[in-house]
Amino acid sequence: MVQERRKSSNVLLDTALQEFYGAADEMGLNEKLISILSHSERRLEVSVPVEMDDGSVNVFSGYRVQHSTALGPSKGGIRYDPEVDMDECEALAMLMTWKCSLAGIPYGGGKGGISCDPSTMSKKEKERLSRTYGARISPILGKWKDIPAPDMNTSGQEMVWIMDTVSKMREELEPSLLTGKPVSYWGSKGRNEATGRGVATCGLELMKILGKNPSSVTASVQGFGNVGSYTAKTLSDAGVKIVAISDVTGAYYSEHGIDINKAFEVQRSNPKKLLTGFEKVGNCEKIENELFVEAEFLFPCARDGMINRRTAPEIKARYIIEGANGPITPDGDEILAKNGALVVPDFLANSGGVIGSYFEWAQNLQGIFWTEEEYNEKLVRIMKDNFRRVWDYAESKKIRMRRAATMAAIQRVADVVEMRGTFL
Ligand code: GLU
């Protein structure tokens, strides 16, 4: 009996499922594997009661999804965001399975998060939130089970709280339980910049293939969080003229190129780590939307769904490199393709983060530390190789890069599921 195919009312999950089915059909994957891989292995929901500073108690919903452990322990971030729910975590966990598979690292895919608005919470409230969440998902975490990392609105600080809580519960230090830790506490030099460095490396590699000199290229970068800021910095250091950047405070434009180091200064001196007032010191103007500027390359590094049916027709960039997870909706993708734009998919472009996490985990297991040069050199080499592999595959099959990358990623997982069988 052929199992009915899954659909979801959640846009992100439905997008992930439909892309999976499309790629699976194109590569002729058998129905048994399609059924297995369209479901998550494990989905955990926990309630997270937090005593707020005013003495009241808020009960938040927390999640951790393990889509696949076929290739190894599941791996993926933990995000704090009001939009987080089980479906979103499932979609992002599936994306992590393809990301790790394509990257050639020994992990399956997972994702977790808490539905909350961290911008309204104090540091103490966030600490209590992280520790209780960590304690409640601890039964399914482990260096050989499931290894979280930072994601949207989380950083090394949240990782330390969770690691510390789980280590105390287990009465044993657990440094390889999660990655993206601060350099001062079992982290790796280079990990903080790794995702952005990887995104930029894809952009620079594409320029090389197209025969473009970076110093003659203009780019717009949406989002100035961990991914966007280091994407902009790496591109700018390579000579690319960044004409627009943005964050929740707005979009900033200069046809002469934005001084990214100055943007970092403004952000670091702002208590909320935002670009407030950057137009005054950055010699640039505030504009309506960084997506629509005249720039050849666009790097959407903010959040999912930003390039959609409404915004895609206005985009002038020819080359779009997805720094965020899921920044382009399927109808947005169709419009871009019709307009002749080339898209480098998220799980290839932003895989520098999880590749860097793998380096950190491997070092923690051995109790050794690499130099930053060693880390960056290995990261850039892997990113370039992976980019070229997907590019060549897409060219040879005359298909879009997203489809080529999905097919290559599914193939590795499918081969291992075939070998291991369904008793995973
Ligand atoms: N959150 C990042 C991502 O979506 C990194 C995940 C990890 O390092 O495990 O790829």
Side-chain angles (χ1 to χ4, degrees):
M1 195 185 82
V2 174
Q3 196 165 9
E4 209 177 301
R5 292 192 166 182
R6 287 182 74 191
K7 274 196 176 338
S8 172
S9 54
N10 176 284
V11 180
L12 215 53
L13 181 54
D14 203 52
T15 304
L17 285 168
Q18 299 326 316
E19 178 55 30
F20 167 66
Y21 289 132
D25 285 340
E26 195 158 337
M27 58 200 278
L29 197 69
N30 73 51
E31 283 297 332
K32 272 192 280 184
L33 286 168
I34 293 179
S35 304
I36 293 169
L37 294 174
S38 59
H39 291 84
S40 301
E41 283 178 23
R42 188 176 277 117
R43 306 186 306 168
L44 175 65
E45 179 171 353
V46 293
S47 59
V48 189
V50 176
E51 183 169 350
M52 308 305 279
D53 292 344
D54 65 5
S56 65
V57 168
N58 264 355
V59 182
F60 297 91
S61 295
Y63 307 88
R64 185 73 190 169
V65 175
Q66 298 167 351
H67 168 255
S68 169
T69 55
L71 296 182
S74 45
K75 184 90 193 78
I78 287 172
R79 55 172 59 186
Y80 293 176
D81 187 69
E83 307 259 298
V84 168
D85 61 16
M86 186 66 90
D87 285 351
E88 183 182 281
C89 289
E90 259 209 279
L92 295 167
M94 182 186 261
L95 201 66
M96 285 308 301
T97 301
W98 311 143
K99 197 181 294 189
C100 295
S101 171
L102 187 73
I105 53 179
Y107 295 137
K111 200 74 161 202
I114 306 176
S115 171
C116 65
D117 182 359
S119 69
T120 62
M121 297 173 76
S122 71
K123 187 168 177 190
K124 280 280 157 211
E125 288 169 343
K126 283 192 271 190
E127 176 174 353
R128 291 191 284 269
L129 179 82
S130 304
R131 287 187 183 276
T132 305
Y133 170 71
R136 293 197 171 185
I137 63 165
S138 163
I140 65 166
L141 301 186
K143 59 179 179 282
W144 296 110
K145 282 161 92 172
D146 184 2
I147 308 151
D151 200 87
M152 200 189 283
N153 300 324
T154 55
S155 64
Q157 174 63 83
E158 284 74 15
M159 297 305 108
V160 170
W161 286 326
I162 297 174
M163 171 179 154
D164 188 62
T165 305
V166 176
S167 296
K168 284 190 173 121
M169 288 167 70
R170 298 186 186 172
E171 297 184 357
E172 194 166 71
L173 193 64
E174 285 276 14
S176 14
L177 181 91
L178 21 76
T179 59
K181 300 178 292 294
V183 172
S184 52
Y185 194 53
W186 290 90
S188 289
K189 286 190 188 130
R191 172 63 184 88
N192 196 35
E193 301 82 6
T195 314
R197 189 183 297 279
V199 174
T201 301
C202 286
L204 294 168
E205 209 49 25
L206 180 56
M207 289 170 209
K208 203 184 283 169
I209 289 173
L210 299 168
K212 289 180 187 292
N213 186 336
S215 50
S216 66
V217 167
T218 53
S220 170
V221 180
Q222 179 184 48
F224 209 73
N226 174 270
V227 183
S229 60
Y230 290 111
T231 297
K233 168 119 180 73
T234 312
L235 289 169
S236 167
D237 288 348
V240 175
K241 194 198 277 181
I242 310 290
V243 291
I245 59 169
S246 72
D247 72 359
V248 291
T249 65
Y252 304 86
Y253 175 81
S254 165
E255 61 169 320
H256 306 295
I258 297 220
D259 183 343
I260 301 299
N261 290 329
K262 195 147 260 151
F264 270 103
E265 272 170 38
V266 169
Q267 191 194 46
R268 282 187 185 130
S269 62
N270 181 287
K272 293 211 150 202
K273 303 283 165 270
L274 296 173
L275 292 170
T276 318
F278 178 58
E279 70 278 20
K280 290 187 206 96
V281 283
N283 230 339
C284 52
E285 53 175 308
K286 261 190 128 169
I287 54 163
E288 207 46 52
N289 201 322
E290 66 289 348
L291 291 176
F292 306 150
V293 298
E294 290 283 351
E296 233 183 323
F297 280 68
L298 174 63
F299 295 81
C301 301
R303 62 171 308 142
D304 56 279
M306 301 305 288
I307 302 179
N308 47 44
R309 195 171 348 121
R310 199 174 43 79
T311 55
E314 310 292 324
I315 287 174
K316 299 177 189 69
R318 298 290 77 205
Y319 307 101
I320 300 160
I321 290 105
E322 295 186 315
N325 288 319
I328 307 178
T329 61
D331 37 13
D333 227 3
E334 286 313 312
I335 295 168
L336 293 175
K338 218 173 279 155
N339 291 345
L342 184 140
V343 174
V344 180
D346 46 8
F347 66 99
L348 168 63
N350 68 25
S351 61
V354 75
I355 294 169
S357 279
Y358 164 60
F359 294 165
E360 180 181 335
W361 176 78
Q363 290 172 74
N364 290 163
L365 287 177
Q366 297 174 72
I368 55 155
F369 292 93
W370 303 351
T371 62
E372 192 164 358
E373 290 70 33
E374 204 175 343
Y375 186 101
N376 288 341
E377 186 268 316
K378 286 196 170 80
L379 179 76
V380 168
R381 187 159 38 81
I382 295 179
M383 287 304 302
K384 282 184 179 174
D385 286 353
N386 289 352
F387 182 87
R388 287 275 173 171
R389 199 156 39 87
V390 175
W391 174 270
D392 290 344
Y393 189 42
E395 286 284 291
S396 72
K397 294 241 166 221
K398 299 267 167 287
I399 52 178
R400 290 184 210 161
M401 285 188 90
R402 189 186 310 282
R403 182 50 59 86
T406 311
M407 285 165 61
I410 292 172
Q411 193 61 59
R412 179 172 171 226
V413 179
D415 289 347
V416 175
V417 174
E418 285 277 25
M419 282 191 284
R420 293 182 61 188
T422 44
F423 181 69
L424 285 174

